[in-house]
Structure formats: structure tokens, C-alpha cells
Amino acid sequence: MSLSPLLAEHDLLVRSPQFCSRVRMAFARIAREVMAEGPDTHGNPLRVAFARTVLSPADLTGPGQAAVIATDATVSAAALAAYAEGQPDTAQAAVTDEQILTAVRAAWNITAGVSPAPANGRTP
């Protein structure tokens, strides 16, 4: 029986502290990028507020935003393809840093609470 993608994602969170640490650092790196954005960036106040939260975490030992990243389609597929039962680090090692960084960039607005930009580019 093959492993369910949901179980592979769960294993990344529960059985791989290395994955959670990598995600925490990716969020910190992207937070620095967000802090340097111009004020005209869509959702800037929420994006910056979330960046400040990321850069001043209350808990450095928890999984942080790792669940958001473990469920990214590319990250999940890479982990699932390399998954070996009883060896949780094989799945997390198959996910590249660039895949994690790309997933963090893609998830930034939803984790910050920014609504999608209107199709016409105007602020509602």
C-alpha cells in the first residue's frame, strides 16, 4: 500500500524537526525580503506586520508555519517521492531549500492575511 500524501506531510511535521527548522529559517529569510519591499506593494501593512512577527517569534521550538509549507504541492510531491518508512529524514532531505523558499514566497500573503489583488489592479 502506498503512503498517502497527507501522511507524508504529517511525517514532515511530526517526525522531522529538521524540516521544521528549515522552514523557520526560510520564513526568516523571506521576512527580511518583505521588510525591504516598497510601501506600494499589495498588502504591504499586513505583509510587514507578519514579517515582524516572523522575525520576533514567541517560540523557536515549535513547527511554526511548517504545516503551510508541507502542504505545498511541490514540497509534498518531493517528500512523498523520497519517503521511506521508518526513515523520516529521507523525505525532508529530498525537499530542496529552493523548493521551501519558493513555497514560503507563494504562501506569504495567505499566512499574512492579505486578500488577493483585484484583477483590475485597483484597491477596493
Side-chain angles (χ1 to χ4, degrees), residues 1-12 19 69-85 87-96 99:
M1 182 172 142
S2 64
L3 182 70
S4 155
L6 291 175
L7 288 175
E9 293 164 1
H10 178 265
D11 273 3
L12 281 175
F19 178 77
I69 305 310
T71 59
D72 174 83
T74 300
V75 170
S76 179
L80 185 59
Y83 182 83
E85 183 142 1
Q87 300 174 7
D89 286 333
T90 59
Q92 80 83 22
V95 181
T96 68
Q99 287 171 322

Side-chain angles (χ1 to χ4, degrees), residues 35-124:
M35 295 297 289
E37 291 176 346
D40 59 333
T41 302
H42 175 72
N44 181 262
L46 289 173
R47 290 174 58 80
V48 168
F50 183 59
R52 286 186 181 123
T53 300
V54 166
L55 293 172
S56 302
D59 178 15
L60 283 171
T61 61
Q65 300 294 330
V68 173
I69 305 310
T71 59
D72 174 83
T74 300
V75 170
S76 179
L80 185 59
Y83 182 83
E85 183 142 1
Q87 300 174 7
D89 286 333
T90 59
Q92 80 83 22
V95 181
T96 68
D97 287 348
E98 194 54 42
Q99 287 171 322
I100 293 172
L101 288 165
T102 298
V104 170
R105 283 185 189 100
W108 195 270
N109 280 352
I110 54 174
T111 54
V114 176
S115 298
N120 64 8
R122 295 185 204 176
T123 304

Side-chain angles (χ1 to χ4, degrees), residues 18-50:
Q18 294 86 355
F19 178 77
C20 295
S21 295
R22 292 171 67 204
V23 169
R24 274 194 303 275
M25 292 314 301
F27 267 92
R29 184 177 290 183
I30 303 309
R32 290 175 55 98
E33 291 177 11
V34 169
M35 295 297 289
E37 291 176 346
D40 59 333
T41 302
H42 175 72
N44 181 262
L46 289 173
R47 290 174 58 80
V48 168
F50 183 59

